[in-house]
Amino acid sequence: MGRSITIGTAPDSWGVWFADDELQTPASRFLDEVVDAGYEWIELGPYGYLPTDPAELSDELEKRRLKVSAGTIFAALHRPDHYDEAWAQVEQVAKLTQAMGGTHLVVIPGQWRSDKTGEQIEPRELDEEGWARLAAGMDRLGRDVRNGYGLQVAVHSHADTHIDTHAEVDRFLEITDPDVVKLCLDTGHVAYSGGDSLKIIADHPDRIAYVHLKQVDPAVVAKVKAEDLPFGEAVALGAMVEPPQGVPAMPPILDALEGLGRDIFAIVEQDLYPVAFDTPLPIATRTRTYLNSCR
């Protein structure tokens, strides 16, 4: 993997989807186990899961010698008049990310399915006006985040959103400003939706700013697609698996990222919500060991 790829992990790999949920690993245990698993870099996860006071969070990180790569927000910028709601998240998350020395803000598009019930709440595909609003909104967000906080926006293609399939990723990158809007390449979500991460890297090398390393179980995904199940149910069925048990293969992707010739964070982000508290640490340890062997 060389020096250009920095492997880290995220609260997601400990079953964390929400700021506060009794089914989730407590934040202090997550931080301790990240160290035990051998990682040095983390994402913030949902705002409020880790301490939001910069001094308190700095203390928690420094005593464990951990560092922050990115924060995450959700932004449904294809919807009219949504920018202020998105920016309210930015003002919290980007401020904390910047204070922790992070460099990226991962932006997950709005879902057309409810993340609570799984029901369809809006059309699955955007019309031309929707795409235009999405592109203009993301361009504006990318500029404002860079100017206000010095962070790079990396948009995360995601199941059950309008930036999901390979074709949708291509279209999004073609209509947004390459200077301020980059891609968070999530290898699991791309595979989940039938895409090809290696082709995305080859076709859009300058847009790859950040990576989530993840694999899926093709058999589970086939069932999910056949029954049109929402992403939350897919995760509960075990759609996301630890490498090298699923697809896509990690060594070619890591080689392709090396070939970009620049520093890139590659964050292990295996969706595990909900999960027994004793499960994540062994998986995280094995995953780090495996990825480090792919040199």
Side-chain angles (χ1 to χ4, degrees):
M1 292 183 299
R3 293 174 296 173
S4 65
I5 300 177
T6 299
I7 302 291
T9 192
D12 203 357
S13 295
W14 268 257
V16 176
W17 277 10
F18 305 103
D20 184 26
D21 189 310
E22 63 182 10
L23 297 178
Q24 296 178 167
T25 302
S28 59
R29 177 170 178 169
F30 160 70
L31 293 172
D32 289 341
E33 291 190 353
V34 166
V35 176
D36 292 343
Y39 295 94
E40 297 179 10
W41 289 88
I42 63 167
E43 292 182 353
L44 293 177
Y47 184 78
Y49 173 66
L50 296 178
T52 57
D53 176 72
E56 181 182 353
L57 181 55
S58 290
D59 183 59
E60 294 295 327
L61 296 176
E62 288 172 5
K63 68 185 182 183
R64 296 175 175 88
R65 297 184 179 178
L66 293 174
K67 294 170 281 189
V68 169
S69 58
T72 302
I73 69 164
F74 295 81
L77 295 175
H78 66 285
R79 298 173 189 161
D81 304 320
H82 183 77
Y83 194 84
D84 288 348
E85 184 178 331
W87 191 254
Q89 293 179 66
V90 169
E91 290 183 319
Q92 293 179 320
V93 177
K95 182 178 181 180
L96 186 60
T97 302
Q98 179 191 49
M100 295 303 104
T103 51
H104 291 76
L105 184 68
V106 176
V107 180
I108 299 177
Q111 295 182 312
W112 52 261
R113 269 178 163 143
S114 167
D115 59 359
K116 294 182 173 64
T117 67
E119 68 176 326
Q120 184 171 335
I121 55 177
E122 59 182 75
R124 291 177 179 239
E125 297 182 1
L126 293 178
D127 58 18
E128 292 298 325
E129 290 183 3
W131 275 107
R133 278 194 302 269
L134 176 63
M138 286 295 188
D139 285 350
R140 179 184 175 189
L141 190 74
R143 288 191 297 270
D144 289 351
V145 168
R146 174 180 289 183
N147 293 338
Y149 296 95
L151 304 178
Q152 174 64 63
V153 159
V155 178
H156 183 318
S157 69
H158 198 288
D160 295 349
T161 76
H162 299 105
I163 311 174
D164 180 8
T165 66
H166 195 126
E168 288 167 347
V169 172
D170 283 343
R171 180 170 184 175
F172 175 74
L173 293 177
E174 288 163 3
I175 63 175
T176 48
D177 185 342
D179 185 45
V180 295
V181 177
K182 305 292 187 181
L183 183 69
C184 170
L185 176 69
D186 186 299
T187 61
H189 278 277
V190 169
Y192 180 90
S193 297
D196 183 342
S197 289
L198 287 175
K199 190 173 191 314
I200 291 174
I201 296 170
D203 290 347
H204 308 282
D206 295 337
R207 305 298 289 276
I208 310 299
Y210 198 86
V211 178
H212 282 166
L213 295 177
K214 188 183 300 180
Q215 286 189 329
V216 300
D217 180 328
V220 175
V221 171
K223 172 182 171 65
V224 167
K225 296 301 181 180
E227 299 180 17
D228 194 24
L229 300 178
F231 182 67
E233 288 188 36
V235 170
L237 288 171
M240 303 298 170
V241 295
E242 66 178 282
Q245 297 178 9
V247 298
M250 289 289 104
I253 287 173
L254 293 168
D255 287 346
L257 294 174
E258 277 286 349
L260 295 176
R262 59 178 183 273
D263 294 339
I264 289 181
F265 284 109
I267 304 299
V268 178
E269 197 214 31
Q270 181 184 348
D271 295 88
L272 285 173
Y273 180 87
V275 67
F277 290 178
D278 290 338
T279 300
L281 176 56
I283 293 175
T285 304
R286 290 193 298 267
T287 300
R288 184 189 60 80
T289 300
Y290 172 72
L291 292 173
N292 284 335
S293 75
C294 299
R295 298 190 182 206

